């Protein structure tokens, strides 16, 4: 009589490995989609917070600030302590502040913040994910007649 051996056969192990591989193959695309949505959300929050920060800087530093976001997600800022809100001025010392790592901005504008707390310019940004534009759109808009920004998710 044989002793009772403990353990798994090679066939049982192969079945378990196959089941795990199928489960991973189903879960991976969903995980990647979720992760890319989180990246887009992080970029939208980063730009939203930066807009509010620059608005506060304009009042604290008694200067006029202009923000420009390119289609590739580069965020530039320009400021002038001498410019007045009722005049037009050209950017002279524009600097690159940061780059949105995962987003593109197909529609962009240049909001301007005046030292008295008022705003000029459109102030609307639509952010889409750089790799998959079907993941939805985050829209940052300036409220009508005011300088408050709101962040909304579309789709």
């Amino acid at each position: 009589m044989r002793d009772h051996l403990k353990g798994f056969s090679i066939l049982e192990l192969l079945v378990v490995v196959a089941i795990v591989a199928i489960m991973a193959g189903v879960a991976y695309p969903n995980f990647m989609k979720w992760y890319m949505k989180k990246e887009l959300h992080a970029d939208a929050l980063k730009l939203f917070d930066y807009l509010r920060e620059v608005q506060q800087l304009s009042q604290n530093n008694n200067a006029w600030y202009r923000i420009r976001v390119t289609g590739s997600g580069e965020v530039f800022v320009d400021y002038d302590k001498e410019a007045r809100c009722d005049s037009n001025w050209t950017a002279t010392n524009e600097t690159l502040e940061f780059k949105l790592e995962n987003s593109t901005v197909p529609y962009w504008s240049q909001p301007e913040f005046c030292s008295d707390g008022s705003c000029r310019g459109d102030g609307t940004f639509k952010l889409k994910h750089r790799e998959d534009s079907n993941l939805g759109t985050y829209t940052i808009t300036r409220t009508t007649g005011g300088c408050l920004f709101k962040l909304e998710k579309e789709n």
Side-chain angles (χ1 to χ4, degrees):
M1 222 171 166
R2 281 170 98 181
D3 291 334
H4 186 63
L5 299 176
K6 295 184 179 181
F8 300 105
S9 71
I10 190 77
L11 184 60
E12 291 170 325
L13 287 175
L14 286 175
V15 168
V16 169
V17 168
I19 290 171
V20 169
I22 290 169
M23 290 174 59
V26 169
Y28 181 75
N30 291 331
F31 174 76
M32 288 309 297
K33 187 174 183 179
W34 170 83
Y35 185 73
M36 288 174 23
K37 282 183 179 181
K38 292 299 172 191
E39 289 177 331
L40 178 61
H41 182 74
D43 276 357
L45 284 177
K46 185 176 184 179
L47 180 58
F48 181 71
D49 289 341
Y50 188 72
L51 286 167
R52 294 189 324 187
E53 180 183 334
V54 169
Q55 184 178 15
Q56 189 65 44
L57 280 173
S58 70
Q59 292 176 353
N60 291 346
N61 296 338
N62 197 24
W64 193 14
Y65 283 79
R66 176 186 293 147
I67 296 175
R68 182 173 64 91
V69 181
T70 66
S72 61
E74 296 172 324
V75 179
F76 292 90
V77 68
D78 183 23
Y79 73 95
D80 190 341
K81 284 186 104 36
E82 305 299 321
R84 294 184 10 209
C85 289
D86 58 355
S87 64
N88 290 326
W89 60 293
T90 57
T92 55
N93 52 357
E94 188 174 68
T95 58
L96 176 65
E97 292 296 306
F98 60 90
K99 182 173 170 101
L100 299 171
E101 297 299 324
N102 305 296
S103 303
T104 60
V105 186
Y107 172 78
W108 59 273
S109 60
Q110 297 185 66
E112 299 171 351
F113 303 99
C114 301
S115 57
D116 63 358
S118 62
C119 298
R120 290 186 357 170
D122 181 21
T124 300
F125 301 93
K126 290 186 178 285
L127 284 78
K128 293 181 177 280
H129 199 278
R130 189 177 309 274
E131 294 176 22
D132 187 356
S133 61
N134 296 325
L135 293 176
T137 304
Y138 279 91
T139 304
I140 300 172
T141 53
R142 193 180 62 159
T143 56
T144 306
C147 286
L148 299 176
F149 286 88
K150 63 181 178 178
L151 176 63
E152 295 176 312
K153 169 97 170 68
E154 299 172 10
N155 302 2

